[in-house]
Amino acid sequence: MDTNKLQTQLRNRVGQCVLTSPGSACFAGLEGEKKLKLGASLRFFGDGWQMSKRVGGRRFWRIPVMDGEFVCEATTGLTKKAVGGGNLLVLGKSHAAVLAACERAVRVIDDVPEVITPFPGGIVRSGSKVGSKYKGQIASTNDAYCPTLKAAVKTALPLDVEAVLEIVIDGLTKESIAKAMRAGMHAIADGGAEQGITHITAGNYGGNLGPHHFHLKEIIA
Amino acid sequence: MSALTFELKGKPDQRLDLSPLIPAKLNDLKPKDIEALAIGTTRVKLSVGDAFKVKGNDAGSLRFVGTDGRCDKIGAGLTEGEIVVEGDAGAYLGDAMKGGKIEVKGGAGVLAGASMSGGSITIAGDAGERAAGIAVGETLGMRGGQLTINGNAGPLLGERMRRGFVIVGGNAGDYAGGRMVAGTILFKRGVGRYAGFGLRRGSLIFIEAPKDLLPTFCDCGVMEFDYLRILDRWLRTTGQHVGLGDRARRLMGDMAALGKGEMLIVA
């Protein structure tokens, strides 16, 4: 994705998902040589009632909304040197158990510097594989981890696994992602096997996702 | 290297224009040349060497010792470096400065920080009228940076201010924030009459509710402001524990002008 497309995506996603959320505010989490507009484009939602405020060298836009004000930093940094796609797949005997374990993991990963869990709530239920039977579809459902397809595909799931959720981690360095994955795995395991988690694994997409490989046994050691 | 120090020899018999004494103008000068700089403001010629005892050699860090209210234009046009004033400063302290840092241990005269666009000024004592206001020949007041007045501020504080942040530890005079275009002034104590007169945009934040409110300010009620949380957090990082909280009564005005400014009276 080039910078212009990323700018459009950022404006649309923050505008549709963050601006709309009650009580939210939006801050730049990254210093970068290049900048992307954040509040600088969303400010127009304020229809002339928006106010710009500079606090300690950072510029914020205050946009009036129905629950008060949406405060949004004017710009955020851009880097093309980050590492994307670190992931954990959590398998369990019930949807509730897997969700609870993943939420625990996301909370501790939030405290690890230089990483983000980019999906809503940090947790993904629609893990994907590369390619599809349909032309033009570059990714499709990760059928090997779909519990409803165990009988029809080359499944990666034991029969008693009812749900799989994924935590995707992007970071500024390989080391920071590894640190986040280790913290996440410990948080999941802290619940104990009796809570219904059966496996922690990760998708490696045949080793084709990128140059960085994270081997869970090495990370947890 | 020690700070380049200017110690006032005695009470000068004329006002002094100290605008030549900033790091950018002194960097390449020899001590003899510095002492020869003209700082007089009357037909009687006066040089730095006549009025000051000069010591030290670090032109990036200046100290004025024993100065009084007749020492004008200290740090005027400052772009970089640091100036410490161990005494009072006269008029036009940090006038039109663009960067750097000025710390005054005493008070300052009129037009402190007038039309400044960057850097920071801290005044331990009182500041005269029109602080952060309009410098001579300018159309706008303060345009950026930070001005901290720990004592009282005179009338017309922040007049036609365009950007930047002013914090007043003591009381402010009449017409505070008058005709402001934008920017923020935080009042830790009281203000005089007509605060926010002609306010177009910009924020006046009050810890104590003003005694007199202009009738052209309209009440929006009390609500939460993330902005106050952000401001309070940043102030704490600068060592100022103001305790802004996150709730304030918002009044919009001045409706006799553009009316897009605000008073936030901390609840």
Side-chain angles (χ1 to χ4, degrees):
Chain A
M1 185 181 291
D2 65 30
T3 304
N4 288 338
K5 282 183 181 161
L6 182 63
Q7 175 67 79
T8 307
Q9 285 284 330
L10 185 69
R11 186 197 63 201
N12 290 347
R13 292 188 192 200
V14 175
Q16 289 167 7
C17 303
V18 184
L19 166 67
T20 52
S21 301
S24 66
C26 189
F27 302 95
L30 185 67
E31 293 289 330
E33 287 174 18
K34 286 190 177 176
K35 295 285 182 191
L36 291 172
K37 288 180 184 173
L38 207 58
S41 55
L42 291 171
R43 69 189 167 108
F44 295 108
F45 186 76
D47 202 23
W49 299 107
Q50 69 274 19
M51 292 181 94
S52 163
K53 286 288 153 196
R54 194 176 280 274
V55 180
R58 295 165 71 185
R59 192 179 191 205
F60 297 92
W61 281 97
R62 295 166 56 194
I63 301 165
V65 285
M66 294 198 301
D67 74 344
E69 279 184 341
F70 174 57
V71 175
C72 188
E73 199 151 352
T75 58
T76 186
L78 163 72
T79 179
K80 294 189 176 181
K81 293 174 185 165
V83 182
N87 68 85
L88 293 172
L89 288 164
V90 185
L91 285 56
K93 291 179 182 171
S94 78
H95 189 280
V98 178
L99 182 60
C102 287
E103 285 174 342
R104 273 201 309 277
V106 169
R107 274 197 295 275
V108 299
I109 291 171
D110 276 348
D111 294 332
V112 178
E114 298 186 346
V115 296
I116 56 164
T117 48
F119 287 91
I123 304 167
V124 183
R125 65 106 169 257
S126 57
S128 60
K129 67 176 183 292
V130 178
S132 163
K133 67 179 279 187
Y134 299 107
K135 198 177 168 187
Q137 182 81 22
I138 58 170
S140 60
T141 192
N142 193 353
D143 46 32
Y145 287 90
C146 290
T148 56
L149 300 179
K150 280 177 205 154
V153 298
K154 192 178 176 187
T155 188
L157 305 179
L159 198 57
D160 61 346
V161 166
E162 189 180 305
V164 180
L165 290 173
E166 182 176 1
I167 299 168
V168 174
I169 304 163
D170 296 338
L172 292 183
T173 61
K174 183 186 177 190
E175 291 71 30
S176 55
I177 291 182
K179 204 178 281 182
M181 290 173 75
R182 180 165 58 239
M185 282 191 282
H186 279 298
I188 293 163
D190 283 346
E194 63 276 11
Q195 290 201 356
I197 302 301
T198 59
H199 300 74
I200 302 172
T201 180
N204 73 352
Y205 305 92
N208 294 325
L209 200 58
H212 302 292
H213 293 174
F214 298 93
H215 301 282
L216 299 191
K217 283 182 182 172
E218 291 171 13
I219 288 172
I220 200 81
Chain B
M1 295 225 311
S2 60
L4 189 56
T5 303
F6 300 89
E7 189 177 343
L8 198 65
K9 288 176 177 172
K11 193 175 176 183
D13 53 7
Q14 60 175 297
R15 298 193 77 91
L16 306 181
D17 174 0
L18 301 181
S19 58
L21 304 183
I22 57 171
K25 292 180 181 174
L26 300 178
N27 264 337
D28 300 326
L29 296 185
K30 293 174 183 164
K32 201 170 66 180
D33 299 330
I34 293 173
E35 290 189 358
L37 288 169
I39 54 171
T41 55
T42 69
R43 284 188 293 180
V44 179
K45 289 188 177 173
L46 191 75
S47 66
V48 170
D50 297 333
F52 291 99
K53 199 186 290 176
V54 184
K55 287 184 286 185
N57 48 11
D58 180 8
S61 175
L62 307 184
R63 272 177 73 221
F64 290 93
V65 179
T67 50
D68 65 10
R70 286 159 72 85
C71 297
D72 298 338
K73 296 198 175 184
I74 294 177
L78 186 71
T79 53
E80 59 186 356
E82 186 185 25
I83 297 177
V84 176
V85 182
E86 293 178 7
D88 292 332
Y92 304 107
L93 169 75
D95 173 77
M97 70 183 270
K98 295 188 173 83
K101 192 176 163 189
I102 300 176
E103 186 186 349
V104 180
K105 305 268 172 87
V110 300
L111 287 159
S115 298
M116 66 185 281
S117 57
S120 71
I121 301 177
T122 304
I123 301 167
D126 299 340
E129 66 179 64
R130 296 173 193 264
I134 314 169
V136 174
E138 297 281 349
T139 55
L140 292 168
M142 182 179 186
R143 284 174 297 182
Q146 187 184 341
L147 171 64
T148 304
I149 301 165
N150 288 325
N152 299 325
L156 285 160
L157 171 72
E159 187 191 17
R160 291 260 323 150
M161 185 173 160
R162 172 69 182 82
R163 200 178 286 124
F165 183 73
V166 178
I167 180 167
V168 188
N171 293 309
D174 295 343
Y175 294 100
R179 304 195 299 140
M180 253 172 83
V181 182
T184 307
I185 305 180
L186 170 58
F187 302 93
K188 288 164 97 172
R189 295 183 64 192
V191 287
R193 299 165 72 196
Y194 313 123
F197 163 78
L199 183 70
R200 292 174 61 80
R201 290 191 174 86
S203 304
L204 305 179
I205 305 172
F206 301 95
I207 304 292
E208 284 180 19
K211 284 183 184 150
D212 289 316
L213 281 174
L214 282 170
T216 44
F217 276 79
C218 301
D219 200 352
C220 300
V222 176
M223 61 206 81
E224 280 185 26
F225 290 91
D226 281 344
Y227 167 60
L228 291 179
R229 291 192 186 103
I230 294 166
L231 188 60
D232 194 45
R233 186 179 294 183
W234 170 68
L235 285 169
R236 281 202 303 270
T237 66
T238 64
Q240 302 194 67
H241 298 269
V242 180
L244 280 178
D246 57 8
R247 289 179 68 77
R249 179 178 164 207
R250 184 176 205 243
L251 294 101
M252 289 187 72
D254 183 344
M255 294 300 173
L258 184 67
K260 288 188 172 175
E262 65 177 359
M263 290 185 181
L264 295 176
I265 303 170
V266 173

